Amino acid sequence: MIDSRRLRTDLDGVRAALGRRGVSAEEVDRLAELDRRERTLKSRADDLRAQVKVLSKEVGEARRAGDVVTAEERA
């Protein structure tokens, strides 16, 4: 198992260690790129969840206030 923190902080060391086990540098680079993409996508998902939470709160407040038009626009 490769520690993703080590992959991020010591890519050359990971390349060397896995190279001794027959893993090509290109495969390690691909793994590092996939790790970067995963972190980017997780961050984007977190941002979207936060936006949904804010909108849900606004919809709830509008409905409680009786402002159906605003609630429907936000929904």
Side-chain angles (χ1 to χ4, degrees):
M1 178 66 98
I2 299 170
D3 182 7
S4 58
R5 287 175 294 183
R6 184 166 179 220
L7 183 66
R8 293 175 200 140
T9 60
D10 185 22
L11 186 57
D12 291 332
V14 171
R15 273 191 203 110
L18 291 177
R20 288 189 295 271
R21 295 181 181 178
V23 178
S24 71
E26 291 80 20
E27 290 174 306
V28 176
D29 291 342
R30 175 74 174 136
L31 180 61
E33 176 59 28
L34 289 172
D35 179 62
R36 279 189 289 276
R37 285 180 57 198
E38 177 188 31
R39 287 183 289 133
T40 299
L41 291 172
K42 281 183 179 180
S43 175
R44 178 72 177 135
D46 290 343
D47 292 344
L48 290 172
R49 265 190 229 100
Q51 289 177 5
V52 166
K53 186 175 179 179
V54 167
L55 287 172
S56 293
K57 184 177 179 181
E58 290 175 3
V59 168
E61 289 172 354
R63 287 188 195 269
R64 280 189 294 282
D67 188 356
V68 177
V69 174
T70 301
E72 290 301 318
E73 287 175 356
R74 298 285 187 212

